[in-house]
Amino acid sequence: MDRRAFLAAGGAGLAAALAGCTATGSLFETTNSREPPLVDPRPAGVYVPTHSESMGMVGAGSAGDLRVSVSYSYPHRFWTVEREDGAFVARQVDVEADDAVHLMATPFDPETGRVVPDTGLSVEVYRDGSLVTQEVIYRMLSQRMGFHYGANFPLDGDGTYEVRVSVGGASLRRTGAFEGRFADPGTARVPFEFSERERNDLPYELLPDRQGSTGALSPMEMGMGMGTGMDGGTDDDGSTDGDGSSGEGAAGGMDGMATPVGRAPALPGDSLGRGAVDDAVLVAARVDAARFGPEPYLAVSARTPYNGFVVPRMGLSARLPDAGFEGDLAPALDPELGFHYGASVPDLAADATVEATVGAPSTVARHEGYETAFLETGTVTLERS
């Protein structure tokens, strides 16, 4: 019986029978996935998913100026975002019968830990010098991994593989110490000793009492020497805009031996308020710094609620009536501001009113719990707390 037939037959009884279980290896071996049926109906926004799963570290390697961390988990469903009849919709990608792992690659600056979310990336898996598989790999958001690139991959059983992660040049604006960096392509080669038993032993927990509720799982704290880093899937108790964190939230420091989760930092300068469009939290600041030019700089950080992960691939603009400005905000990467959207604005005052517009929602793929959020357009006037 294949995975889809098994889940259809099991239905709600499967979730009830396994409620609270961990390390349910027999279920994985039977279905090729540990995922219970989706919450029905699913909330229209960020919600706690049906389950929490851990990840195993594969390793890390260098690709040009970037460090690339590679990890894996069980193959699982995810959603891509497509435009259909003028609207943006999330399309579910199911686990295929031969999928063995969900591989995740995170490119980041090894000095600051800032994730670089706007670079082309591809993954090939080799064994004994021969290509085993190459898959389309997607920009993704996950409540446990934050921003990363990921996809499900088939493998040829237990053994030693090599994961080759090819990273293209970053296309977004880079400022400060990032100016001129991340422009050249490179390939990281990371050995992967795969064991089906070790994959099946990755901690896993169903969440029957919390699934579908408003909130999110805590991010993974995962360093190279920390094993799976399972935290039991408890909610993050941080602020709803996530700007209380100045770092990336990865364990082990930024020495190339940890996986950053792409968390947005607190913005420097004068706060210009915050608001939200379809659960995408927008935080704005006025920044005076020579690296942005002679005029004041408007920086807007788009982030998830609860965990404050950066939300890239969004069309964002702003109107500032007091400054006489109306225009697009360009994606940019800065060592201090992290990934953000920005523009130079003459006459930008420290108490300016900012009207932010999401003209196109983020097109990154999503793991469960994010697939019903960040899909709408709209305008919000940012408010100071």
Side-chain angles (χ1 to χ4, degrees):
M1 180 181 293
D2 66 16
R3 169 185 174 272
R4 293 178 183 83
F6 183 92
L7 290 182
L14 172 65
L18 296 173
C21 292
T22 60
T24 52
S26 60
L27 174 63
F28 185 90
E29 292 159 6
T30 304
T31 67
N32 208 31
S33 176
R34 299 185 176 196
E35 296 169 312
L38 287 167
V39 174
D40 186 18
R42 284 174 290 165
V46 176
Y47 68 93
V48 176
T50 55
H51 61 286
S52 173
E53 61 189 43
S54 192
M55 292 101 182
M57 286 301 303
V58 174
S62 295
D65 295 330
L66 292 168
R67 190 74 173 165
V68 181
S69 177
V70 181
S71 56
Y72 77 101
S73 188
Y74 313 102
H76 49 243
R77 61 196 170 212
F78 58 89
W79 288 258
T80 60
V81 177
E82 303 172 8
R83 188 163 189 169
E84 183 178 285
D85 298 330
F88 289 83
V89 296
R91 295 295 184 195
Q92 184 171 324
V93 177
D94 290 318
V95 177
E96 298 297 331
D98 60 347
D99 287 333
V101 293
H102 184 83
L103 280 180
M104 294 158 283
T106 304
F108 62 95
D109 171 54
E111 296 179 9
T112 64
R114 297 295 180 208
V115 172
V116 181
D118 198 11
T119 182
L121 190 147
S122 63
V123 171
E124 299 173 328
V125 180
Y126 287 79
R127 187 173 191 176
D128 298 326
S130 298
L131 180 66
V132 174
T133 180
Q134 55 184 348
E135 300 288 330
V136 173
I137 193 162
Y138 301 90
R139 296 174 176 87
M140 286 190 169
L141 279 174
S142 161
Q143 292 183 5
R144 307 226 59 209
M145 281 291 292
F147 178 84
H148 63 282
Y149 293 75
N152 296 326
F153 283 78
L155 297 174
D156 287 339
D158 293 358
T160 302
Y161 297 83
E162 182 182 70
V163 180
R164 299 182 187 179
V165 184
S166 297
V167 181
S171 58
L172 77 174
R173 181 190 183 194
R174 282 91 69 201
T175 55
F178 288 166
E179 186 175 357
R181 299 186 63 206
F182 318 135
D184 297 327
T187 299
R189 300 189 176 198
V190 183
F192 180 19
E193 190 68 34
F194 175 70
S195 164
E196 183 177 334
R197 179 178 295 275
E198 289 183 7
R199 178 205 59 194
N200 292 350
D201 286 341
L202 291 174
Y204 171 92
E205 183 182 10
L206 292 168
L207 305 171
D209 297 329
R210 299 171 52 218
Q211 63 179 21
S213 60
T214 300
L217 303 179
S218 292
M220 187 75 68
E221 296 291 336
M222 192 145 97
M224 287 289 291
M226 296 182 63
T228 57
M230 180 72 171
D231 73 359
T234 56
D235 288 337
D236 181 7
D237 58 2
S239 66
T240 55
D241 57 33
D243 63 353
S245 171
S246 60
E248 287 290 348
M254 288 299 103
D255 57 359
M257 299 296 285
T259 299
V261 295
R263 181 172 278 155
L267 296 182
D270 301 308
S271 173
L272 296 178
R274 66 196 66 191
V277 175
D278 195 23
D279 269 5
V281 177
L282 307 176
V283 181
R286 176 189 182 276
V287 181
D288 281 309
R291 64 186 184 276
F292 299 119
E295 305 290 348
Y297 186 71
L298 170 66
V300 178
S301 172
R303 53 188 70 182
T304 67
Y306 310 107
N307 289 327
F309 300 138
V310 296
V311 181
R313 311 290 288 183
M314 176 183 288
L316 197 61
S317 63
R319 177 177 176 268
L320 286 76
D322 298 334
F325 174 85
E326 184 170 3
D328 294 335
L329 304 180
L333 187 67
D334 181 78
E336 187 177 11
L337 277 64
F339 175 81
H340 66 283
Y341 303 83
S344 295
V345 179
D347 302 321
L348 176 60
D351 60 351
T353 298
V354 178
E355 298 174 3
T357 296
V358 176
S362 175
T363 55
V364 297
R366 296 95 185 280
H367 287 224
E368 185 178 333
Y370 282 149
E371 80 277 11
T372 59
F374 323 136
L375 292 172
E376 301 294 331
T377 60
T379 299
V380 62
T381 299
L382 305 188
E383 298 182 358
R384 295 177 177 80
S385 56

